[in-house]
Amino acid sequence: MYECGKCVLSPNWLVWSLGDGQPPEEIDKQIETPPLSTLLIEKPQSGSINVGGDINFVAKVEAKDLLRKPTIKWFKGKWMDLASKTGKHLQLKESLCQDDAGELDFSGLLKHREHKQEEVSEVDVWDILKNARPDEYEKIAFTYGITDLRGLLKRLKKTKKEEKKSEAFAKRLEPAYQVDKGGKIRLVVDLADPTVELKWYKNGQEILTELINADCFITTFLNTACQGFDDVLLWSSYVELPVNIVKKLEPVKTTVNERIELECEVSEEGAKVKWMKNGVEVPTGVRSRYRVKSEGTKHWLIIDDATKDDTGTYSLMATGGTTEAHVQILMDLQSVTVLLGQPLKLNCEIYPGNVPGRWYKNGQLIQPSERLSIIHRTKNHSLDIESSTIHDAGDYTFVPEGYTQMLSAKNVIWVNSADPPRVHLEALNVPDDTVTIVAGNKLRLEIPISGEPAPRVVWMKGERVILDSGNRVRAETFADHTCLTIDIAEREDTGNYKIVLQNEAGEDTASVKIKVVDIPDPPEAPMVTDVGGDWCTMTWELPRYDGGSPILGYFIERKKKQSSRWMRLNFDLCKETTFEPKKMIEGVPYEVRIFAVNAIGVSKPSEPSKPFIPLAVTSEPTMLVVDDVTDTTVTMKWRPPDAIGAAGLDGYQVEYCIEGTDEWILANKELIEKTRYTITGLPVEAKILVRIKAINAAGASPPRTTQHSILVKEVIEPPKIRIPRHLKQTYIRKVGEVVNLVVKPQNEGQPIDQTISIRNSDCDSIMFIRKAERKHSGKYELSVQVENHIDTAMLDIQIVDLPGPPQAVKIEEVWGNNVALDWNPPKDNGNAPIIGYTIQKADKKTMEGYTCIEHYHRTCITISNLVVGNEYFFRIYSENMVGLSESATATKDSALIVKEGLQLKIPEYNDLMLSVVYCILILCYCSQPKVIWMKNKITIIDDPRYRMFSNQGVCTLEIRKPSPFDGGVYTCKAVNDLGEAQVDCKLEVKG
């Protein structure tokens, strides 16, 4: 039996070895072997293991019928041969288990195999392959028995190489810092090179500092983690080398319309650099004249058509240094074509001024003569020929002294015998010689030409010559026609293009206007000029550029401020620059935007307008009436508007207009919140109209105006007394209280008592009694008279006091433990009805009063449950709305509750349940023993809440102000020399 086992797999190995294995080459060969079911005695069992643990797979093979040692291979998945993964994470072992028959002995072989396997297990093949040369891979695979070399090499190729960074720190930060919350952190690092630039980062975000160096960048990452109230800071750092200037910029001198290329080379590929002109960064946008190009470590700044404004100092800034160069642009000479016999003039300007120079023709120095003159004035140099001849044609050059730059021009002289050039522009067959093209399309403009000899053709846009080598815009000339090609038309291509044809016979020019149409620019953000409850009025300006095609109209969209969904408001184009959106929700903020539309298409949306809130003005105030009129004032009052809206109501505005004029005068400078206002300073006997406006955030409401004019003159109205509601019924006060009434009294036609004070004013009358007495009760009459008009009012005042005691209190009958009482009402009821009586009883021995009943309405009562053997007196108080009478009337006789016998019978007490009471008495009968009171078997001693006393054998326990906590089992225990006795009582107090 042959056992192959102990395939030890570590979860760490499973992480990095995941991938698609390659099928071994031997798997396709047909080998005559016994079926697998006859060889395997024990198959590998599935298993699970936690991360970090080991797992063993064991398989046993029957080998008694085999002539040689079997070949064992372990696979993961379908094709991955695990022999290529052996190392410190995976080990394959084989062993021989001999049975009793012992027919085969592979011990020698197994020893050799086991020894070799042990050597392989100590070697990490992965590390050997990573450090070996590519030509050694097959040898290593053959030595260590790796069959899946192709998959292993793929994995090795994907392994990222670690980039080693140069050492920049002499002393690094500690791996962790800890400070208290709110404390100060100071982090110090020592640099190997003090000139490097240091950058600090927190969580990947740069922390701006003032350290600016140029040799290298040190980047430090800061991660923070909070635990409790402390901050823990972990640091790591790396170094980026600075970008140095390898090849510096070189000065450039050229002429107008020439191409300028400034070239510089840096130390690293893909480095970020910055181009500057005279200390200002060069704009390199889509519409800029400057273009930036980079290839590898080289960087270029390109100016296609140089102008005088491009003269200046250009510099390139990198992290490791800066280089600069001066660019000078000179004005070149203009080529001239003249007819025979016509004057010839060549001019040029030289900067700086007062620089002498020389003129050359075809490389020969020109000397002045009678027909030819050379003039130099400051910066201007000119060459004049009075009458040109055929010999004056040629290339003219001006060379400044001390400069290598030269200016040149070509002079062409032609005679009438040649065929002059001609541009046949009519072949275009376009109106007004204007060619229209949509932006983004390609334009190829072919124009026939003629002339003998063949003319030289120059295409120009403004002063810029279009070359035949241009990339996007180029000009080409053929034998019978010339062609202008624009690959991708842009807005900037719009303009007049000039065609210049020259030969010896003369020249011809023609102009073609190319119009590139595009979608218009978006309009500026619209302005909301007015808002209403569900609408607004918006206006906007025309787009700065209409795309070369007239604006056909506009689309308008709106959205809620908190929303991101725009809604189209018009499907038919709006022709005007104003629009009125409707059906908005009042009080909700909105935004609107505009799209401009021309024949080409729809522009991008404009910027949204400022948020606005639709708010409606209120409706007009209601119920505007005149409240009072004097010689100089008018008092108006009104009611609030019926509809106020979401904007609310800020106040009212009062205006008046004198009859006969159209001027409305504002009566109140500030808004008023009350619905009543007095207009002052009016002329006497003037007639005015008054109107009221309600004001809120949306503006002023429609005015409410008086229907008729108001005469400013005091009107005598009949007097009227307005009595408060509480004085329309009897006014009741106690004796001794203060009475303060706004009335003018007359007491039933009798003079007013001197103890009553009266004070009158323009609008009221006050009656004041400092200390009311019962004699002040009665009816008072208030009378107001204005000329012949009189108005009166009656006031009823009642001064009440405590009642007197009841009369004739007597005991009508005594039976059992009951007593019947009878009495008469008191003589003095205190000027108020009697509302009840209070009856008290008192034991003759103690004469302490105990209230039996309160608020009793009848004049007779039966008192029950009296104690047998006790003798009682009774007294009664009368009561009215003020309170109980000061004294009570007591019975003259007492009521004795007769004892029926002397035999002592201890009653059986049941559980007692009481509601809220003011005191509780527990009684029991005994002789003269020592009496002990207990609650829940605990003796009550010196507790101020309890009072215990005994009188003639009656033991009493009084509980002051009982509460639900006083409930429980109370025990009365009597002890003497003869023995002891006790009785229990259960008390429950309900609140």
Side-chain angles (χ1 to χ4, degrees):
M1 182 183 298
Y2 191 85
E3 177 181 359
C4 62
K6 285 204 168 181
C7 174
V8 182
L9 300 178
S10 173
N12 295 329
W13 173 81
L14 292 176
V15 172
W16 62 260
S17 64
L18 288 176
D20 297 331
Q22 298 295 328
E25 298 177 356
E26 294 82 1
I27 201 71
D28 297 330
K29 297 180 180 180
Q30 295 182 1
I31 302 176
E32 295 182 0
T33 57
L36 187 62
S37 58
T38 62
L39 296 179
L40 289 177
I41 300 176
E42 180 179 345
K43 296 183 179 181
Q45 299 296 323
S46 301
S48 60
I49 192 66
N50 295 328
V51 175
D54 294 336
I55 185 169
N56 296 335
F57 295 96
V58 179
K60 293 183 179 181
V61 180
E62 180 65 38
K64 63 181 180 179
D65 296 331
L66 300 179
L67 301 179
R68 57 185 177 87
K69 175 181 172 295
T71 300
I72 307 298
K73 291 188 178 181
W74 287 88
F75 291 89
K76 177 185 176 185
K78 187 175 181 181
W79 300 111
M80 185 177 291
D81 188 356
L82 296 183
S84 62
K85 308 298 182 182
T86 56
K88 59 182 180 180
H89 300 294
L90 173 65
Q91 297 179 9
L92 300 177
K93 295 183 180 181
E94 299 178 1
S95 61
L96 179 63
C97 300
Q98 294 185 359
D99 51 9
D100 297 336
E103 294 181 1
L104 294 175
D105 184 8
F106 296 109
S107 57
L109 248 149
L110 291 175
K111 289 179 181 179
H112 179 67
R113 285 296 184 99
E114 290 175 0
H115 178 69
K116 183 176 180 180
Q117 202 65 3
E118 289 176 359
E119 291 180 355
V120 174
S121 62
E122 296 177 358
V123 178
D124 193 343
V125 182
W126 185 258
D127 291 337
I128 295 175
L129 285 174
K130 288 195 293 185
N131 299 325
R133 298 193 308 271
D135 57 347
E136 297 177 353
Y137 288 163
E138 290 187 2
K139 182 179 179 181
I140 296 173
F142 181 80
T143 303
Y144 294 94
I146 299 175
T147 59
D148 189 15
L149 179 60
R150 188 188 308 171
L152 197 63
L153 292 179
K154 286 184 178 180
R155 200 178 318 280
L156 183 63
K157 186 177 181 180
K158 295 179 182 179
T159 304
K160 296 182 179 179
K161 296 182 180 180
E162 298 182 358
E163 297 181 4
K164 297 183 179 179
K165 299 187 178 294
S166 59
E167 189 71 14
F169 295 104
K171 179 181 178 181
R172 295 180 176 272
L173 292 169
E174 296 296 334
Y177 291 83
Q178 180 175 352
V179 294
D180 294 332
K181 185 177 181 180
K184 184 177 181 181
I185 305 175
R186 184 179 183 185
L187 305 173
V188 180
V189 325
D190 292 341
L191 302 178
D193 184 2
T195 62
V196 296
E197 179 179 280
L198 183 64
K199 290 185 179 179
W200 293 88
Y201 287 79
K202 176 183 178 182
N203 294 333
Q205 298 294 329
E206 182 179 359
I207 304 173
L208 298 180
T209 62
E210 299 299 330
L211 302 177
I212 302 178
N213 300 304
D215 290 342
C216 64
F217 296 90
I218 300 177
T219 306
T220 306
F221 289 89
L222 165 64
N223 297 320
T224 61
C226 299
Q227 297 180 355
F229 294 94
D230 298 334
D231 288 339
V232 180
L233 303 107
L234 305 177
W235 294 80
S236 63
S237 59
Y238 65 90
V239 176
E240 294 180 1
L241 294 179
V243 179
N244 298 322
I245 304 297
V246 177
K247 180 181 178 182
K248 297 185 178 180
L249 297 175
E250 295 181 357
V252 176
K253 289 184 180 180
T254 185
T255 58
V256 175
N257 295 330
E258 292 296 329
R259 176 185 174 93
I260 300 175
E261 289 189 4
L262 296 176
E263 181 180 356
C264 179
E265 186 174 355
V266 296
S267 59
E268 291 187 9
E269 293 186 4
K272 293 184 179 180
V273 298
K274 183 184 294 184
W275 288 93
M276 310 286 287
K277 176 187 177 184
N278 298 331
V280 180
E281 185 175 357
V282 175
T284 58
V286 178
R287 300 184 180 181
S288 176
R289 297 178 56 254
Y290 303 94
R291 292 189 295 113
V292 174
K293 184 176 71 172
S294 62
E295 292 181 5
T297 60
K298 293 184 179 181
H299 296 262
W300 289 271
L301 176 64
I302 302 173
I303 307 174
D304 286 331
D305 299 321
T307 63
K308 288 185 177 181
D309 296 335
D310 294 326
T311 300
T313 301
Y314 291 79
S315 59
L316 179 138
M317 296 180 62
T319 57
T322 304
T323 179
E324 62 181 25
H326 184 73
V327 176
Q328 183 177 8
I329 309 299
L330 302 176
M331 177 63 74
D332 203 352
L333 292 172
Q334 300 294 327
S335 298
V336 177
T337 302
V338 297
L339 295 174
L340 290 173
Q342 298 295 324
L344 169 64
K345 292 184 179 181
L346 296 176
N347 296 307
C348 68
E349 295 181 357
I350 300 298
Y351 294 91
N354 298 324
V355 176
R358 296 181 180 181
W359 288 90
Y360 292 87
K361 175 189 174 184
N362 298 329
Q364 300 295 324
L365 180 64
I366 300 175
Q367 297 294 339
S369 63
E370 295 179 357
R371 195 175 59 87
L372 186 147
S373 60
I374 298 174
I375 302 172
H376 173 207
R377 294 176 183 175
T378 63
K379 60 182 180 180
N380 294 319
H381 295 264
S382 62
L383 174 65
D384 297 338
I385 300 175
E386 292 182 358
S387 180
S388 60
T389 64
I390 195 66
H391 302 288
D392 292 327
D395 293 331
Y396 288 80
T397 304
F398 178 80
V399 180
E401 291 185 4
Y403 294 87
T404 59
Q405 181 69 30
M406 62 178 63
L407 306 178
S408 61
K410 188 174 183 180
N411 180 27
V412 179
I413 307 298
W414 59 276
V415 295
N416 293 330
S417 60
D419 185 10
R422 185 184 175 190
V423 180
H424 301 277
L425 203 58
E426 64 277 2
L428 290 177
N429 194 21
V430 292
D432 300 331
D433 296 334
T434 301
V435 178
T436 303
I437 183 173
V438 179
N441 293 340
K442 183 177 181 179
L443 172 65
R444 184 177 176 85
L445 191 63
E446 295 184 358
I447 300 176
I449 61 175
S450 62
E452 185 65 35
R456 185 171 66 94
V457 181
V458 177
W459 282 84
M460 301 180 66
K461 180 184 179 184
E463 297 181 355
R464 182 173 62 90
V465 176
I466 301 175
L467 305 177
D468 56 356
S469 60
N471 295 328
R472 189 177 61 84
V473 181
R474 59 187 179 275
E476 298 175 299
T477 301
F478 303 93
D480 58 347
H481 69 279
T482 181
C483 178
L484 175 67
T485 303
I486 303 176
D487 286 338
I488 300 175
E490 298 178 355
R491 292 184 180 181
E492 290 76 9
D493 297 329
T494 299
N496 290 322
Y497 289 78
K498 185 178 181 181
I499 310 171
V500 180
L501 273 65
Q502 293 179 343
N503 64 6
E504 296 178 357
E507 70 174 17
D508 189 17
T509 61
S511 294
V512 178
K513 184 177 180 181
I514 295 179
K515 184 178 181 181
V516 180
V517 293
D518 197 0
I519 61 174
D521 287 343
E524 297 293 333
M527 301 290 294
V528 178
T529 58
D530 194 11
V531 295
D534 62 346
W535 58 271
C536 75
T537 301
M538 54 184 293
T539 61
W540 60 90
E541 299 293 334
L542 293 172
R544 293 182 180 179
Y545 177 65
D546 60 0
S549 179
I551 299 296
L552 300 179
Y554 303 90
F555 286 124
I556 297 93
E557 290 185 348
R558 79 167 183 226
K559 75 175 183 68
K560 297 178 182 178
K561 183 181 178 182
Q562 66 273 16
S563 175
S564 60
R565 185 174 67 88
W566 290 90
M567 182 176 68
R568 178 70 58 85
L569 299 182
N570 63 318
F571 294 96
D572 295 330
L573 289 178
C574 176
K575 306 295 184 179
E576 306 296 332
T577 56
T578 60
F579 190 75
E580 187 174 302
K582 296 181 180 180
K583 296 182 180 181
M584 292 184 286
I585 302 175
E586 186 176 2
V588 176
Y590 285 89
E591 292 177 347
V592 291
R593 67 181 184 183
I594 310 296
F595 294 83
V597 182
N598 64 2
I600 308 305
V602 182
S603 71
K604 294 181 180 179
S606 68
E607 292 294 326
S609 67
K610 293 182 179 180
F612 64 93
I613 301 177
L615 296 174
V617 297
T618 66
S619 61
E620 65 273 8
T622 58
M623 303 293 291
L624 178 62
V625 295
V626 179
D627 188 41
D628 188 20
V629 179
T630 65
D631 291 340
T632 59
T633 64
V634 172
T635 302
M636 306 296 297
K637 66 178 182 180
W638 61 92
R639 294 224 176 148
D642 293 333
I644 293 179
L649 179 63
D650 296 337
Y652 299 95
Q653 182 177 298
V654 182
E655 296 177 331
Y656 67 92
C657 175
I658 299 177
E659 191 176 33
T661 65
D662 296 332
E663 181 184 2
W664 287 92
I665 302 172
L666 183 63
N668 57 326
K669 296 182 179 179
E670 297 182 357
L671 296 179
I672 59 173
E673 297 182 358
K674 296 182 179 179
T675 58
R676 188 175 185 273
Y677 186 76
T678 300
I679 305 174
T680 59
L682 298 174
V684 181
E685 295 187 356
K687 291 185 178 181
I688 64 171
L689 292 174
V690 181
R691 69 183 184 185
I692 310 296
K693 295 180 181 178
I695 309 297
N696 64 2
S701 70
R704 170 69 71 179
T705 309
T706 54
Q707 296 181 353
H708 305 286
S709 60
I710 304 170
L711 178 63
V712 184
K713 182 179 180 181
E714 187 173 2
V715 179
I716 298 176
E717 295 182 0
K720 184 177 181 181
I721 300 175
R722 293 182 176 86
I723 300 177
R725 182 177 298 177
H726 68 280
L727 294 180
K728 291 183 180 180
Q729 55 189 1
T730 302
Y731 185 73
I732 301 174
R733 282 292 180 270
K734 297 180 182 179
V735 173
E737 290 184 347
V738 176
V739 177
N740 188 359
L741 300 177
V742 184
V743 291
K744 184 178 179 181
Q746 185 176 354
N747 186 8
E748 296 180 354
Q750 301 298 326
I752 299 300
D753 192 276
Q754 295 181 355
T755 58
I756 301 175
S757 300
I758 298 175
R759 183 170 64 249
N760 296 323
S761 66
D762 293 339
C763 59
D764 56 20
S765 179
I766 300 175
M767 182 183 74
F768 185 78
I769 303 175
R770 295 186 181 277
K771 188 175 181 179
E773 299 179 4
R774 292 181 64 177
K775 65 180 181 179
H776 295 142
S777 300
K779 293 185 177 181
Y780 294 78
E781 179 181 348
L782 173 64
S783 177
V784 179
Q785 181 176 358
V786 178
E787 295 183 355
N788 296 327
H789 301 280
I790 300 176
D791 189 19
T792 60
M794 298 297 295
L795 300 178
D796 188 6
I797 298 178
Q798 180 179 355
I799 307 300
V800 297
D801 197 1
L802 295 174
Q807 297 182 4
V809 179
K810 59 183 179 180
I811 299 174
E812 290 289 338
E813 184 180 1
V814 178
W815 75 95
N817 58 351
N818 303 313
V819 174
L821 301 177
D822 190 15
W823 66 91
N824 294 328
K827 291 182 179 181
D828 184 10
N829 62 357
N831 203 19
I834 300 298
I835 61 174
Y837 299 92
T838 298
I839 298 94
Q840 292 184 350
K841 66 181 178 180
D843 192 352
K844 184 177 180 181
K845 297 178 182 179
T846 60
M847 293 305 293
E848 294 184 4
Y850 176 75
T851 300
C852 298
I853 191 170
E854 295 178 331
H855 312 303
Y856 188 73
H857 297 283
R858 301 174 63 186
T859 57
C860 59
I861 191 173
T862 299
I863 307 300
S864 303
N865 299 327
L866 299 176
V867 178
V868 177
N870 288 1
E871 189 173 357
Y872 294 95
F873 286 92
F874 299 91
R875 58 188 178 189
I876 302 174
Y877 294 87
S878 58
E879 182 181 5
N880 63 3
M881 61 182 298
V882 181
L884 294 176
S885 60
E886 294 181 352
S887 60
T889 302
T891 57
K892 296 181 180 180
D893 303 326
S894 62
L896 177 62
I897 307 303
V898 181
K899 297 180 181 179
E900 296 181 356
L902 299 178
Q903 184 178 358
L904 178 63
K905 183 178 180 181
I906 300 175
E908 294 182 359
Y909 294 96
N910 297 323
D911 294 342
L912 179 63
M913 180 181 297
L914 299 178
S915 60
V916 176
V917 296
Y918 294 98
C919 65
I920 299 175
L921 300 178
I922 301 178
L923 308 176
C924 70
Y925 297 92
C926 61
S927 57
Q928 297 296 327
K930 179 181 178 181
V931 178
I932 301 172
W933 286 92
M934 293 182 292
K935 176 185 177 183
N936 297 331
K937 305 301 180 181
I938 299 175
T939 304
I940 301 174
I941 302 176
D942 298 332
D943 192 336
R945 297 182 63 255
Y946 300 94
R947 191 173 69 160
M948 297 172 286
F949 52 89
S950 176
N951 187 8
Q952 296 182 359
V954 178
C955 299
T956 305
L957 173 65
E958 182 177 339
I959 304 174
R960 299 181 184 275
K961 296 182 179 181
S963 65
F965 298 101
D966 293 325
V969 177
Y970 287 85
T971 303
C972 180
K973 185 176 182 181
V975 181
N976 59 11
D977 296 338
L978 300 177
E980 62 180 27
Q982 68 179 27
V983 62
D984 296 333
C985 176
K986 184 178 181 181
L987 174 65
E988 183 178 354
V989 181
K990 291 186 177 180

